[in-house]
Amino acid sequence: MNDSEQARTLRWPGDPATVAAESVDFEAVAHVLGNTCCWGGRSRRFYSLAQHALTVSGAIDRLGGMNEEDRRVLSLHALLADAWRAWVREDPGAQPSGKAAAQARRSEKAAVIRTVLEAARLDIELPGDWADALRFTQRMAEAAVSRDLPEGGTGGERSGPLGGTGPLFPPLKDRTRPLRPDRAATLWFERFGELSKPAQGDTEQ
């Protein structure tokens, strides 16, 4: 970024209850994700949400069996998969108390996801095979992080996109080397700009 871009006043993510598509500032989102650790700081090394999203999005680019435009759209979905976390923060040590609170939190998260995808001009729902491809790629990226950054998280309990348990997946071949927060944010925003443009030959209605 040049000095004039850095000086621009950003619209930082705020109250998730009032977020609107026209107010989503993806450059601000990039900085929040770049400065947010996947494990909420519970790690000896910093690995950002922005970098993880870049890793998954880049892996989608290498999938076969898709045309250029479909691959662009799925790669953008991958990049934005955890963008909701810029509004809805999660404390891995705290869980909502009661079914009503948990349901309210799920509804809040779903509403932010819909708004972010609307702002990026993406469909809310992915076709079943696309959703499966995205989930599989995300798990491969998580396996790569577990291989390369085994000290991440605490006691195997990880927060953020790397949380949860399930079957082991083959890791991505690329090695995971943590980026500085500002670098991850810059790369995330640049990739968002690239993926936001329809593939050549595709025209918007």
Side-chain angles (χ1 to χ4, degrees):
M1 300 180 187
N2 58 39
D3 291 341
S4 61
E5 290 174 321
Q6 289 179 340
R8 184 176 76 83
T9 300
L10 301 179
R11 290 177 294 181
W12 297 104
D15 185 353
T18 61
V19 62
E22 60 271 17
S23 69
V24 174
D25 185 333
F26 284 103
E27 185 177 358
V29 171
H31 284 287
V32 175
L33 298 182
N35 284 286
T36 304
C37 178
C38 284
W39 304 302
R42 293 165 173 79
S43 172
R44 292 181 181 275
R45 302 183 70 183
F46 184 90
Y47 178 64
S48 71
L49 291 172
Q51 182 175 356
H52 190 68
L54 283 164
T55 298
V56 178
S57 181
I60 292 292
D61 269 354
R62 297 190 288 274
L63 293 179
M66 303 183 75
N67 63 45
E68 183 179 355
E69 175 60 11
D70 288 348
R71 188 178 293 107
R72 177 194 73 84
V73 171
L74 187 55
S75 294
L76 185 52
H77 269 278
L79 190 72
L80 296 173
D82 287 294
W84 61 272
R85 295 179 186 276
W87 285 267
V88 183
R89 297 302 184 94
E90 290 191 329
D91 182 349
Q95 297 295 329
S97 58
K99 291 183 178 180
Q103 179 58 46
R105 191 167 186 79
R106 285 194 294 270
S107 297
E108 182 180 66
K109 171 184 169 181
V112 173
I113 290 173
R114 287 194 301 270
T115 301
V116 170
L117 294 180
E118 179 185 349
R121 293 182 289 183
L122 290 174
D123 290 335
I124 304 301
E125 299 293 334
L126 284 172
D129 54 343
W130 285 26
D132 289 342
L134 178 54
R135 281 193 295 269
F136 186 79
T137 305
Q138 288 170 330
R139 297 302 291 273
M140 291 178 69
E142 292 173 7
V145 173
S146 295
R147 176 196 64 203
D148 301 330
L149 302 175
E151 71 276 22
T154 57
E157 297 295 328
R158 297 185 174 189
S159 62
L162 305 182
T165 59
L168 295 177
F169 280 71
L172 298 175
K173 293 181 179 179
D174 294 343
R175 307 297 295 186
T176 305
R177 297 180 176 83
L179 298 171
R180 297 192 321 271
D182 60 336
R183 180 61 175 161
T186 296
L187 292 175
W188 191 100
F189 186 58
E190 289 176 350
R191 181 152 179 80
F192 174 79
E194 294 168 358
L195 293 175
S196 296
K197 302 173 184 177
Q200 189 173 6
D202 182 80
T203 55
E204 296 183 60
Q205 302 298 320

